[in-house]
Amino acid sequence: KVIDAYQEYQLRYNIDSSAMPKQVEQETEYFSPRWYYLGEIPYGEMPEDDIYWYPAVLFLDKKLKGEFTFAGTKLVKHELQQVDRL
């Protein structure tokens, strides 16, 4: 039986944006970049897990470790903890 599912990979890295060249992200067949103000992130249009970790990472600069389990695109279980280092 074929099920509707997706796999999402999260990478960890540190970025010093002042040292990076300024560039504009390019749209591709699979990706259309969109930029939002932090208070206007459209969580309702994103994978369900994002609401659990975006605020802690973007607003509070926390380092997190977690696991999210999906049935298709429906989030069915999640575990998330703050860590001192990745």
Side-chain angles (χ1 to χ4, degrees), residues 33-72:
R34 294 181 283 171
W35 300 98
Y36 298 94
Y37 291 104
L38 290 176
E40 298 175 2
I41 296 172
Y43 294 111
E45 299 173 22
M46 300 164 64
E48 287 184 64
D49 63 317
D50 293 348
I51 190 73
Y52 292 99
W53 64 270
Y54 266 49
V57 172
L58 295 176
F59 300 122
L60 304 174
D61 199 30
K62 291 185 178 180
K63 294 174 180 65
L64 304 174
K65 180 179 179 180
E67 184 173 315
F68 298 87
T69 304
F70 289 84

Side-chain angles (χ1 to χ4, degrees), residues 1 5-6 10-11 13 19 21 23-24 27 29 34 40 45 51-52 57 59 61 63-64 71-72 74 78 83:
K1 178 178 175 181
Y6 73 95
Q10 300 294 328
L11 305 175
Y13 52 90
Q23 66 185 47
V24 176
E27 185 169 348
E29 178 182 354
R34 294 181 283 171
E40 298 175 2
E45 299 173 22
I51 190 73
Y52 292 99
V57 172
F59 300 122
D61 199 30
K63 294 174 180 65
L64 304 174
K74 178 73 177 156
H78 73 278
V83 295

Side-chain angles (χ1 to χ4, degrees), residues 20-31:
M20 296 178 66
K22 303 299 180 212
Q23 66 185 47
V24 176
E25 298 299 326
Q26 298 295 314
E27 185 169 348
T28 69
E29 178 182 354
Y30 304 102
F31 177 71

